[in-house]
Amino acid sequence: MTDRTEPREKHMTALGIGRSAMDRMRRLVSRFAGERGGVAAIEFAFIAPVLLSLYFVTMEVSQGIEVNKKVGRVASMVADLVTQQSQKVPVSELDGILDIGESILQPYNRSKATIVITAIKISDDATPKVTVAWSRKLQNGSKGQGPARDSITTVPDKLKIRNTFLIRVESDLSYEPVITWSADQKQGLGLAAAFDGIAMKETYYLRPRMSGEIACDAC
């Protein structure tokens, strides 16, 4: 008689081994799913870039607002100092005032401001003619003449009063955020390039305080 118990036993043994392996695999998967030890590290890896981005954006926005205020302060202070001069002002005095205006922007130093002082003469004609009496400019750290003497310029209509004299000061800065600035001054790419060189500008008009006009022969 043929013994049929051996194949059945082998089959049951293989089935038991398969079930045992599945059980071990199920337990391993369950342990892996329930393991919480590395969750904090993974969550931090996801949220750290967001937190750093928020920090830098907040810092940059606050600094940008402060620099914009300083650009306006430059124009108002330079205009105030110039209009306090007597009938004639030397070039050295104007250059010193320009240096004071530039120092107001510190500690910001990622780009240099342009400051232009323009003395404006409005004629006594029925239709007043607005011309440049003299000018002085600070640009990229160098001082020189601004708009040409006797050239035509413009002023707001409410300031176009016959036979008057004005001092106009323009401060201009191309603000460079930290995210677009590098030591080698290379232009940013992508999103950074969209914020590269934010224009900040202010213009002030004031009248002389000590006399009707302020002259500058060497300007």
Side-chain angles (χ1 to χ4, degrees):
M1 180 181 295
T2 305
D3 188 1
R4 298 180 179 275
T5 61
E6 183 177 351
R8 182 178 298 176
E9 290 176 355
K10 290 182 178 180
H11 176 71
M12 294 298 293
T13 301
L15 184 61
I17 293 173
R19 286 180 177 176
S20 178
M22 290 297 293
D23 289 340
R24 286 198 300 271
M25 182 64 69
R26 191 179 296 110
R27 286 195 298 270
L28 286 173
V29 172
S30 178
R31 285 177 58 190
F32 180 78
E35 181 62 45
R36 311 295 296 177
V39 172
I42 295 174
E43 290 177 347
F44 179 78
F46 278 110
I47 199 171
V50 177
L51 293 176
L52 287 173
S53 298
L54 290 174
Y55 171 76
F56 281 112
V57 167
T58 303
M59 179 187 69
E60 195 58 58
V61 168
S62 61
Q63 187 178 44
I65 293 173
E66 180 62 24
V67 172
N68 188 52
K69 290 180 180 178
K70 288 183 176 182
V71 170
R73 202 174 303 150
V74 167
S76 63
M77 181 172 290
V78 170
D80 183 59
L81 291 174
V82 173
T83 54
Q84 292 184 48
Q85 303 301 310
S86 57
Q87 295 181 354
K88 185 176 291 187
V89 58
V91 174
S92 59
E93 190 78 19
L94 291 175
D95 289 348
I97 293 174
L98 288 172
D99 288 335
I100 293 173
E102 187 179 37
S103 67
I104 293 174
L105 293 172
Q106 297 304 318
Y108 174 80
N109 61 356
R110 294 193 290 272
S111 61
K112 292 185 176 295
T114 298
I115 307 173
V116 183
I117 305 172
T118 306
I120 299 173
K121 175 68 176 177
I122 303 175
S123 69
D124 196 21
D125 302 330
T127 302
K129 186 178 180 181
V130 183
T131 57
V132 175
W134 54 264
S135 65
R136 196 70 179 162
K137 177 172 66 175
L138 172 68
Q139 187 173 27
N140 294 325
S142 299
K143 303 177 186 72
Q145 185 178 358
R149 188 184 291 264
D150 297 327
S151 61
I152 301 297
T153 187
T154 59
V155 297
D157 290 338
K158 62 182 179 181
L159 297 178
K160 193 181 291 185
I161 302 172
R162 294 169 55 180
N163 195 28
T164 56
F165 193 88
L166 293 171
I167 295 294
R168 179 179 65 203
V169 176
E170 301 164 276
S171 57
D172 193 351
L173 178 72
S174 180
Y175 180 78
E176 295 182 3
V178 171
I179 59 174
T180 66
W181 185 81
S182 62
D184 54 8
Q185 296 296 309
K186 291 183 179 179
Q187 187 177 6
L189 300 175
L191 181 61
F195 299 98
D196 187 23
I198 301 174
M200 297 180 176
K201 186 173 183 179
E202 191 64 69
T203 302
Y204 266 79
Y205 291 88
L206 288 179
R207 299 190 187 278
R209 302 183 183 185
M210 308 298 292
S211 60
E213 296 184 11
I214 301 175
C216 181
D217 296 336
C219 294

